[in-house]
Amino acid sequence: MRQTSRAALALMTLAIAACFQGARADETCNSPYLSNLIKGQEDYLYVWTLGVPGIGDGSDKLVTVDVNPRSKQFGKVIAQLPVGGRGEAHHAGFTDDRRFLWAGGLDDSKIYVFDIHTDPARPKLVKTITDLPAKSGYVGPHTFYALPGRMLVGALSNTKDHGGVTGMALYNNKGEYITKYPLPTSMGGDGYGYDIAINPAKNAMLTSSFTGHTNYMMDLGTLIKNKTAMGNFGNTMVLWNLKAMKPEKVFKVPGAPLEIRWSQHEGDDWAVTATALTSKLWLVKKDAQGQWQAREVATIGDPAKTPLPVDLSLSADGKGLWVNTFMDGITHHFDLSNPEAPKEDYAKHTGSQVNMLSQSWDGKRLYVSSSLLANWDKKGADNEQFVKLYAWDDKELKEVFQLDFARLGLGRPHHMKFGAATPQRVASARE
């Protein structure tokens, strides 16, 4: 391992206690190393948006929405920043200091670094990273997970055959490549990747698995009819020793486990994921002998109808879980008071297709976006492209506003992140 990589791990180890004890994210999928937090009302919603030929400028772009109800521009798009091409915009993540937002393209493998600190209402593109394939051999940057002074980038595919065997690449916050970590193909591993989730207090990192470039860039209808292609989806999760950055155990989790969420409630030591193809919730937790195990704990919708669970949002207290199912357009809520036996206690049809979720820290606001992948989104009248804000009173989701991204000439909205108007507002929200 390179000296720089060892230094990164040492820095990460030193930061564990301070970061985990104090760090809580506004969206619960954020890294626990994120130091600047929004506990009150978020001011902006950053939406990483796929370009569509013939709609607006046709380019992938970062769209900024004013979401502070005290603002005269509440519920309106106040800025859009095209990146000059279409590369299958997908996920984004903040650096540990929350000054920059990294966002990637699953097709062209470019990584864009946006300054969201200097003028949070109008982000600026300050760097484009293009060396991921050449340096790591990976393509399809998916997950951007902040480490102290570093960014861990989880990829979906590789340069050799565009299949699912892949890994993670480590960069510093300047956008300079450091090293890579292959997903295991031994120990029962399939080498596939998707999400990253860290629990520093347990020295544990989990990764999940999806599919490679050939599949995720294929038309969904064509993919479903191709038996060979449908066999090329991940069926594993990997438990890593965080300090050593070494895989320790591979869990068999059939059906493409996607998003992973560790409970951030003090004293909890478990995580959940959902399998896209089998519509199950899985729990990762230590057993009575102190060994980490993964097991199925609940069903999401009707698996026979392949509802396709996609994004998750776990409440700050670990008691409630939101799950979007793409195919039927339903937003589900599960009571996780007992994570060993989750119970669905609410569901609402929020669109013809729904994908991403972002939940405010207080749990009172839920943002929903529609697009999954350009070639997987529905067609015709069902191809809705929106961002919606809902208020949640623990009983009912009530729509506050919606933005039609197609009508506004913006494209297909995917990943959403929160912003604050001033650094002082963010800092004042720390633990």
Side-chain angles (χ1 to χ4, degrees):
M1 183 180 293
R2 295 181 181 179
Q3 184 67 32
T4 51
S5 181
R6 290 196 295 269
L9 294 177
L11 178 61
M12 190 164 61
T13 301
L14 289 173
I16 283 176
C19 288
F20 189 70
Q21 290 174 6
R24 296 291 188 271
D26 43 16
E27 303 114 318
T28 54
C29 59
N30 278 338
S31 164
Y33 296 103
L34 196 65
S35 60
N36 295 335
L37 315 171
I38 303 174
K39 291 298 190 66
Q41 172 65 53
E42 58 279 4
D43 295 307
Y44 306 117
L45 186 73
Y46 303 123
V47 188
W48 187 219
T49 303
L50 290 76
V52 179
I55 294 183
D57 60 16
S59 175
D60 292 349
K61 57 181 60 66
L62 187 67
V63 175
T64 305
V65 181
D66 190 319
V67 294
N68 191 320
R70 295 183 295 274
S71 170
K72 293 181 180 179
Q73 296 178 300
F74 174 65
K76 297 184 182 302
V77 173
I78 58 173
Q80 52 176 296
L81 181 54
V83 296
R86 287 188 300 277
E88 192 71 32
H90 204 67
H91 278 203
F94 294 112
T95 51
D96 61 325
D97 57 9
R98 209 190 181 101
R99 296 170 64 92
F100 299 94
L101 181 68
W102 290 37
L106 290 185
D107 188 20
D108 63 10
S109 295
K110 291 181 179 178
I111 299 170
Y112 301 96
V113 180
F114 298 99
D115 174 358
I116 52 91
H117 173 79
T118 302
D119 184 355
R122 291 169 179 78
K124 296 178 181 179
L125 178 61
V126 295
K127 189 179 183 70
T128 302
I129 301 169
T130 60
D131 64 1
L132 176 69
K135 291 288 182 67
S136 69
Y138 305 143
V139 298
H142 178 271
T143 300
F144 298 89
Y145 207 87
L147 301 177
R150 305 288 190 268
M151 182 66 78
L152 189 60
V153 181
L156 295 187
S157 193
N158 64 76
T159 57
K160 184 178 180 180
D161 63 5
H162 276 193
V165 176
T166 188
M168 299 171 288
L170 185 66
Y171 284 80
N172 64 26
N173 280 1
K174 294 180 180 180
E176 298 167 335
Y177 177 83
I178 299 174
T179 191
K180 67 178 181 179
Y181 304 101
L183 273 294
T185 53
S186 59
M187 304 164 51
D190 51 28
Y192 285 33
Y194 186 79
D195 201 14
I196 300 168
I198 288 174
N199 184 334
K202 298 297 179 181
N203 188 34
M205 179 173 72
L206 291 170
T207 56
S208 54
S209 56
F210 182 44
T211 194
H213 185 278
T214 299
N215 270 11
Y216 65 67
M217 292 303 295
M218 191 183 302
D219 175 81
L220 183 59
T222 303
L223 175 63
I224 291 173
K225 295 175 184 178
N226 187 324
K227 291 184 179 180
T228 299
M230 288 301 294
N232 295 328
F233 280 85
N235 294 289
T236 61
M237 293 179 69
V238 180
L239 174 71
W240 298 68
N241 181 307
L242 175 61
K243 294 178 184 178
M245 288 298 287
K246 298 288 186 182
E248 289 192 331
K249 188 172 186 177
V250 175
F251 304 116
K252 292 295 183 182
V253 184
L258 299 184
E259 307 291 343
I260 310 167
R261 303 290 178 258
W262 283 103
S263 175
Q264 301 192 46
H265 185 256
E266 186 175 355
D268 285 351
D269 62 352
W270 52 265
V272 291
T273 191
T275 52
L277 302 183
T278 55
S279 301
K280 301 293 184 179
L281 281 180
W282 283 69
L283 178 71
V284 179
K285 188 179 181 181
K286 287 185 176 180
D287 61 20
Q289 288 71 45
Q291 300 299 309
W292 290 103
Q293 306 291 350
R295 67 183 184 88
E296 176 190 321
V297 290
T299 299
I300 306 164
D302 182 355
K305 297 180 180 179
T306 317
L308 198 62
V310 276
D311 200 17
L312 308 178
S313 183
L314 184 62
S315 62
D317 62 5
K319 303 297 185 183
L321 179 72
W322 292 104
V323 183
N324 266 352
T325 46
F326 177 79
M327 295 302 292
D328 56 13
I330 293 177
T331 299
H332 309 255
H333 187 268
F334 283 82
D335 178 354
L336 258 64
S337 298
N338 177 8
E340 306 275 356
K343 295 181 180 179
E344 184 170 344
D345 56 7
Y346 179 81
K348 185 181 183 72
H349 185 266
T350 51
S352 63
Q353 56 185 11
V354 294
N355 188 16
M356 301 303 292
L357 292 162
S358 286
Q359 180 182 186
S360 61
W361 178 252
D362 60 11
K364 295 179 179 179
R365 296 172 300 285
L366 187 71
Y367 298 84
V368 177
S369 66
S370 54
S371 182
L372 178 53
L373 291 160
N375 292 327
W376 288 28
D377 285 355
K378 296 181 180 181
K379 297 175 174 62
D382 286 338
N383 185 26
E384 296 178 345
Q385 297 298 339
F386 60 78
V387 166
K388 296 181 180 180
L389 168 61
Y390 289 92
W392 173 245
D393 62 1
D394 295 324
K395 296 180 180 179
E396 175 69 26
L397 283 176
K398 297 179 181 178
E399 187 176 310
V400 177
F401 71 70
Q402 67 170 293
L403 293 169
D404 186 331
F405 269 48
R407 184 179 61 80
L408 292 170
L410 298 171
R412 303 173 186 265
H414 189 77
H415 210 188
M416 301 171 289
K417 291 292 186 181
F418 295 163
T422 66
Q424 289 76 20
R425 270 182 52 80
V426 176
S428 67
R430 295 179 183 174
E431 285 277 281

